[in-house]
Structure formats: C-alpha cells, structure tokens
Amino acid sequence: MSGGGRIRRRALGAGLAAAWVARPALAQGAVLRAAHTNAIGEVQDEGLRFMDKRLREITAGRLGLQIFPNGQLGNELPMIEGVALGTIDLAVPSHAAFANFVKEYQLLDMPFLIRDYAHLAKVAGSPAIAQLAQAAQGRGFRVLGLYSSGVRHLMTRGPVNGMEDLKGRKIRTQQNPVHVAAFNAFGANATPLAYGELYSALQVGVVDGAEAAYTNYVAQKFYEVAKHWTTVGWLSLTAPVVLSERKYQSLAPELRNALVQAGEESAVFERQFVVDSEAKLIEQVKAQGVTILEPEKAPFLQAARPLYDRFLTSAADKARLQSIQEVA
C-alpha cells in the first residue's frame, strides 16, 4: 500500500478511537444508511433488500435499512471510509477493496482459491472467515455476513482466445495490489480504475477490457462497449457486509442480535441468488450477440501460483489458506 494509504488508515484509526466515547445504547429503533455499488436489482442490492425485510420482521419495525445503490454514496474506498467515520452506517464493498483497510481479507484475493459456488458456501461458514471478521472488528468494523459478487471472467473490446492475447492490453482491475499483480502476471497491463469510471473507459478505449462477473456485465450493460467475454474464472469475488463497530455498540442488545441474524440470513440468501441467477444471465449475454470464448486455464493457473507466496507471508495467513483449501 502507498504511504498515502497508510496515512489514511492511521487517520481513520485515530478517528475511530476518538469516537469510542461511551454513549447509551439506542433504546428506540433506527434506520441504517446502507450503501453499495451494484445497480438496483443486482445481487448486492437484492441481498440488502432481503436484510431490510428480515430486520423489520425480527424487530417489529424498530430497525431497517435505507438502501443507496449504484455508488450513490461513493465508490468502494470512500464508502468504507464513510462507514469508518460514521457518515454511512453499513456498506457492502468487495473484499478486494476492504483489504485496503483490513489486510487479512487479502487472502480471498488469491486467484483460483475458491473452486466453485458450493465451495464458497462452505468457506463462508469456516473458521478462517470467522478469523477475518475478528480482524475487522479489531479495526472498528463489524462484519455481518459474506455476500458473493460472482465468479470473475474477462470482458474485452477485442477477442481473448488465450493468455497470450492479453500481452500488453490494458485491463481494468480493482484498486488492489493482488489484482494488479495477477493481471500483470497474466501478461496484461493492469490498470486500476474506479468502478464508476469503467463504462466510459471501455467506451473510449482508455482500457481494452476488465475482469467482471456475469451479474455486473449484464446489469451495467458492459456488453455494449465490451462485446467479447472470456471465461477464465480467475476469482470468486466476495463482499463483506460491514457496519462500524461504534454504530453496532450504540444499538440496544436486541437490535444487535437482530442485525447479526438478518445479516447472516441475507448472506445465505444472496449467495444462493447469485447461483440461481447465473444461468439466466448467461442466456442474456448470448442474446446480446457477445462472443464467448473458453481459453485453456492451465497457463493462468501457473502464472498465478507465485502470488500465494508473495502476498501470504505470515504464519496466520498460511494457516488460513490451508484451512480454506482443505474445505471439502
């Protein structure tokens, strides 16, 4: 991370510490401001709508969400900062963005770590993920669940038949060091870019392509500006549902319990929603006349292997990696 990023994290940490002044728990209800970057009806939006419904049911209307979709309250990094500083109550950033604030989530950035959706469903309830949530709590974030953002492939302006076709191409990645390193390892010119800028960047050729999942490829109509789809499956992107620990502790105990229950129930619902939606999304992609290519994955796997040792350096990282790999 850059020096500016470290300074930002120290400043946020100081702000959170200053905010931990004892205050009485809210006896009355509340409506939490919840932000995400998906379009309305996309997977994270559906997950939060389910969570809002369950919260209102469990608490008899005392607690609910006011949902701000499509980056209305900012892109992912400002959104997480908003949670830390209290201007946003709850957010659903990608784990890749969240790793800038809680480095342990970098584990989930390892290419090809999560084998499929069934594996993810089991991993989400594993001790390794519980340890990541504990690390987040130590930095002022309460993680209420782990959403799926789908398996990531490639959308490009020109065809990519294999890894060799990525050489020199500008491929948009998230603002995350592992993602940048992965696409550089694949031979591309990795180009970090805010999600809200991606459509126009593809349209005018600032970037030649980007990694994406079926869900946002369809919902954001990226097929209009990137007509080639290459099924690499390089990453299963997840999205923790995060609340500031300060906000969590300000609520009455029964409302905290409701948040934990509704958060986990919504995560189970959302992950299954991703699975159920994908077959329909694939048909929608085909209907748009997109060229769908299926390259040999072995070169990608081989290129990605050194990243594990490069980024997972601590004994704790390696133990959690092994734990996830051993989940049947």
Side-chain angles (χ1 to χ4, degrees):
M1 176 175 291
S2 67
R6 287 192 293 272
I7 292 170
R8 178 174 60 194
R9 286 175 62 180
R10 287 197 294 270
L12 284 170
L16 284 170
W20 271 101
V21 178
R23 61 183 69 190
L26 292 177
Q28 302 301 317
V31 176
L32 305 178
R33 288 163 54 89
H36 66 82
T37 59
N38 278 193
I40 292 173
E42 206 175 337
V43 292
Q44 291 173 14
D45 189 64
E46 291 295 326
L48 287 181
R49 289 179 187 278
F50 181 93
M51 183 176 175
D52 175 48
K53 178 175 179 289
R54 288 297 293 134
L55 279 173
R56 295 178 190 274
E57 290 172 348
I58 296 167
T59 67
R62 290 178 61 198
L63 190 61
L65 304 179
Q66 181 183 11
I67 301 168
F68 295 86
N70 218 21
Q72 289 179 15
L73 300 186
N75 287 316
E76 289 192 314
L77 296 181
M79 195 168 68
I80 303 166
E81 290 176 349
V83 172
L85 296 174
T87 57
I88 298 172
D89 296 316
L90 183 147
V92 189
S94 69
H95 73 247
F98 196 48
N100 288 282
F101 297 81
V102 184
K103 186 180 178 182
E104 287 82 353
Y105 275 83
Q106 189 170 258
L107 169 65
L108 298 176
D109 285 314
M110 294 302 108
F112 306 103
L113 173 64
I114 304 298
R115 296 188 293 271
D116 51 33
Y117 288 123
H119 186 217
L120 174 59
K122 294 178 181 178
V123 167
S126 71
I129 298 303
Q131 289 172 22
L132 298 185
Q134 187 175 15
Q137 189 174 342
R139 292 171 179 81
F141 298 98
R142 173 71 60 150
V143 177
L144 301 173
L146 189 68
Y147 284 7
S148 170
S149 291
V151 174
R152 310 294 283 191
H153 304 287
L154 271 173
M155 57 181 179
T156 51
R157 288 160 53 90
V160 174
N161 291 289
M163 198 173 81
E164 64 280 1
D165 289 339
L166 284 176
K167 187 174 181 179
R169 292 199 187 184
K170 294 175 290 182
I171 301 297
R172 181 267 177 181
T173 69
Q174 294 197 43
Q175 295 162 306
N176 175 284
V178 182
H179 292 212
V180 171
F183 276 87
N184 284 338
F186 297 156
N189 178 8
T191 306
L193 189 70
Y195 185 62
E197 301 171 19
L198 180 54
Y199 185 98
S200 60
L202 285 165
Q203 189 173 38
V204 301
V206 170
V207 294
D208 300 306
E211 54 90 41
Y214 282 105
T215 173
N216 61 321
Y217 187 56
V218 172
Q220 300 288 349
K221 298 185 178 180
F222 286 127
Y223 52 76
E224 295 176 342
V225 289
K227 298 289 287 187
H228 300 271
W229 183 256
T230 303
T231 57
V232 178
W234 84 278
L235 182 73
S236 180
L237 190 67
T238 63
V241 181
V242 297
L243 180 79
S244 79
E245 184 66 18
R246 172 167 49 92
K247 184 67 176 182
Y248 177 81
Q249 294 296 341
S250 77
L251 297 169
E254 64 272 20
L255 298 185
R256 295 179 212 159
N257 292 339
L259 268 173
V260 171
Q261 179 183 341
E264 184 51 41
E265 287 181 5
S266 76
V268 173
F269 164 84
E270 192 272 353
R271 291 194 300 268
Q272 188 59 47
F273 182 82
V274 172
V275 175
D276 294 341
S277 300
E278 190 153 295
K280 184 186 299 183
L281 290 170
I282 291 170
E283 291 306 311
Q284 290 181 44
V285 168
K286 292 178 180 177
Q288 295 299 326
V290 171
T291 301
I292 300 177
L293 302 165
E294 299 180 2
E296 172 61 44
K297 291 186 181 180
F300 290 93
L301 288 162
Q302 184 175 356
R305 196 168 293 122
L307 300 181
Y308 282 64
D309 289 332
R310 176 178 169 186
F311 287 98
L312 301 181
T313 56
S314 73
D317 285 338
K318 293 180 186 297
R320 285 189 286 264
L321 170 64
Q322 183 177 354
S323 173
I324 288 178
Q325 289 174 327
E326 291 176 350
V327 171

